[in-house]
Amino acid sequence: MCGLALSGMVAGTALPDPAGAGTERAAAVRGPDCPPGTTARLAEPGSDTVTDSGELTPEQAARYNDRLREALRSLRSHEIAPPGTVPVVVHVISATDGRGHVSDARIRDQIDVLNTAYSGGYDAAGADTGFRFTLSEVTRSENDAWFSDFNGHRDRIRSELHRGGADTLNIYTADLGTGLLGYSSFPQDHAAAPDQDGVVLAHDTLPGGGRERFGLGHTGTHEVGHWLGLFHTFQNGCTTPGDYVGDTPYEREAAAGCPQGRDSCPHRGGRDPVTNFMDYSDDDCMTHFTEGQARRMAEHWAAFRSPHRP
Ligand code: ARG
Ligand code: ZN
Ligand code: CA
């Protein structure tokens, strides 16, 4: 079995002091018998953002959903329009000895992966979400402390480097340790901490980085899904409302590897969505978003990120 143990450390690095009040900030690190890569997850500090930190509690997910519903009340349905193109700024943090260097070519490949994934290009049944991504800027910081202990310097790094408004996707790459692939803020968090908004990726998860089982760039696909408001497909397990998406079957827990055909909620319809980008399967197992997820991302965009929102 692959159990969860609570720890204040990620890959030997102490977590920063909590910035706000309330949520748990310990890293959840799975035991040594777990497959690498699906292991540690880290709490995002500030407000309620705990993406990939042992998951959101049902209450936290409900609060995020309440805020979505509330924001949508002031929008007309025609305003939930296809979102169009998202400008992307990539911030590469690397060591002075060259570790963590991500070439411009690999960055372009990551953007291509996002565009293929979000247009449904990895699966004939995949939704075209309407989102497209275009690289607008790359910043490069050579800093050993920032590279090897991103999470210990996270708030400072992000407030120094962050660019643009709610509609700009900021992606940071660094060494996140052995167990952590990435994490993200949610759209609802932007207003309270605009310069902390964005996605953090282990540098070797970008295409060509050689991260075992997670080297195709779908950590980026997955984290951008959070950045656009999606929960994990296993949010709330077999219990209503699950991931708040109607066309993703319920799932008791995260998938590892590629357990096709698994049915962990036998009393609920459908097999587990292990090939969905919002599960924890290996990169070569993940193929699609659903129409319901596309709709939910468009809602979050209209409510929290669109430059045209009222
Ligand atoms: N946030 C997840 C983790 O750190 C990322 C899962 C991404 N999955 C993938 N196949 N790339 O564990
Ligand atoms: Zn996640
Ligand atoms: Ca669902």
Side-chain angles (χ1 to χ4, degrees):
M1 275 313 288
C2 173
L4 274 178
L6 270 186
S7 149
M9 309 282 282
V10 175
T13 301
L15 287 170
D17 250 352
T23 50
E24 66 266 39
R25 285 179 181 81
V29 181
R30 292 195 183 179
D33 46 349
C34 299
T38 53
T39 51
R41 285 151 298 159
L42 175 75
E44 177 67 2
S47 64
D48 266 344
T49 316
V50 285
T51 310
D52 296 329
S53 68
E55 290 96 49
L56 296 176
T57 65
E59 294 73 26
Q60 287 168 329
R63 288 252 318 267
Y64 277 112
N65 188 63
D66 288 347
R67 291 173 62 191
L68 173 65
R69 293 334 321 169
E70 187 188 319
L72 288 175
R73 271 202 296 274
S74 58
L75 290 178
R76 314 232 155 254
S77 59
H78 70 267
E79 291 175 306
I80 302 168
T85 298
V86 179
V88 184
V89 182
V90 177
H91 306 281
V92 177
I93 319 292
S94 61
T96 49
D97 65 6
R99 278 175 304 135
H101 175 78
V102 181
S103 67
D104 289 345
R106 283 179 58 212
I107 292 170
R108 283 195 300 274
D109 287 348
Q110 177 68 72
I111 303 289
D112 288 349
V113 167
L114 293 178
N115 281 318
T116 305
Y118 281 81
S119 59
Y122 288 110
D123 184 336
D128 180 350
T129 68
F131 287 96
R132 298 293 184 272
F133 302 88
T134 181
L135 184 63
S136 72
E137 191 180 349
V138 176
T139 78
R140 296 187 177 274
S141 305
E142 262 190 23
N143 184 316
D144 291 322
W146 285 13
F147 174 68
S148 60
D149 182 15
F150 183 91
N151 291 317
H153 300 88
R154 165 177 49 199
D155 294 12
R156 167 96 191 277
I157 296 171
R158 290 193 298 205
S159 55
E160 278 193 23
L161 299 180
H162 184 274
R163 302 273 201 280
D167 63 327
T168 297
L169 170 61
N170 281 254
I171 296 178
Y172 301 83
T173 70
D175 180 8
L176 300 182
T178 50
L180 186 61
L181 297 166
Y183 54 93
S184 177
S185 58
F186 281 115
Q188 288 86 332
D189 300 323
H190 178 272
D195 62 3
Q196 297 296 314
D197 184 65
V199 161
V200 181
L201 299 175
H203 66 88
D204 55 355
T205 68
L206 278 74
R211 179 73 171 234
E212 201 185 342
R213 294 171 43 210
F214 302 101
L216 301 181
H218 289 323
T219 302
T221 306
H222 174 109
E223 301 306 337
V224 173
H226 290 312
W227 187 77
L228 293 169
L230 295 183
F231 298 137
H232 293 132
T233 48
F234 48 89
Q235 179 67 45
N236 289 313
C238 304
T239 306
T240 305
D243 63 355
Y244 293 84
V245 175
D247 61 359
T248 53
Y250 284 82
E251 185 176 39
R252 187 172 301 276
E253 60 187 9
C258 194
Q260 298 242 31
R262 189 175 84 163
D263 188 9
S264 63
C265 299
H267 304 293
R268 296 282 195 172
R271 307 279 172 115
D272 292 3
V274 302
T275 58
N276 193 281
F277 288 124
M278 297 316 291
D279 208 334
Y280 270 8
S281 313
D282 289 353
D283 274 11
D284 66 4
C285 181
M286 303 181 142
T287 61
H288 69 283
F289 293 109
T290 66
E291 296 292 343
Q293 287 174 317
R295 169 84 187 169
R296 197 166 165 87
M297 290 190 273
E299 288 177 349
H300 281 85
W301 184 262
F304 301 111
R305 296 203 179 279
S306 167
H308 311 114
R309 68 191 188 284

